Amino acid sequence: SSPSSGAPPLAEFGDDPVSEKPIVVKDGRFGPYITDGVTNITVPGSMAIEELTREQAIEMLADKRAKGPAPKKTTRRAPAKRKVAAGK
């Protein structure tokens, strides 16, 4: 029994009122996270999973959705243009 994606969820909160998908808490690479299969939120380290309520889980998912997708972090600088400018 390896801790794969087939592992049972740490907690279940029933269906999300917005997405109508089941909300579960799973153990991920970066610790536990709440997911409805679409939106994922890492559970803050200060928050105990045992104390997490359905209302909190729904609220956190709603907040995350309202913010939209996480901005993509790009480590590369602007490509090509720099090289052309440097050559002059």
Side-chain angles (χ1 to χ4, degrees):
S1 62
S2 61
S4 67
S5 59
L10 303 175
E12 298 181 65
F13 294 110
D15 291 350
D16 183 277
V18 180
S19 70
E20 298 181 350
K21 291 185 166 49
I23 302 169
V24 292
V25 181
K26 293 184 175 179
D27 197 11
R29 190 189 312 176
F30 306 109
Y33 66 97
I34 302 166
T35 181
D36 67 350
V38 180
T39 308
N40 294 344
I41 319 148
T42 304
V43 176
S46 59
M47 192 177 279
I49 296 162
E50 305 81 53
E51 294 168 14
L52 189 66
T53 65
R54 174 176 156 77
E55 286 71 30
Q56 284 174 309
I58 290 169
E59 198 174 310
M60 288 165 75
L61 283 168
D63 286 352
K64 178 78 182 267
R65 278 191 210 103
K67 288 180 183 138
K72 296 272 184 283
K73 293 191 178 83
T74 52
T75 50
R76 279 191 308 174
R77 299 287 173 210
K81 290 177 188 170
R82 280 264 169 92
K83 289 176 183 169
V84 174
K88 288 182 180 173

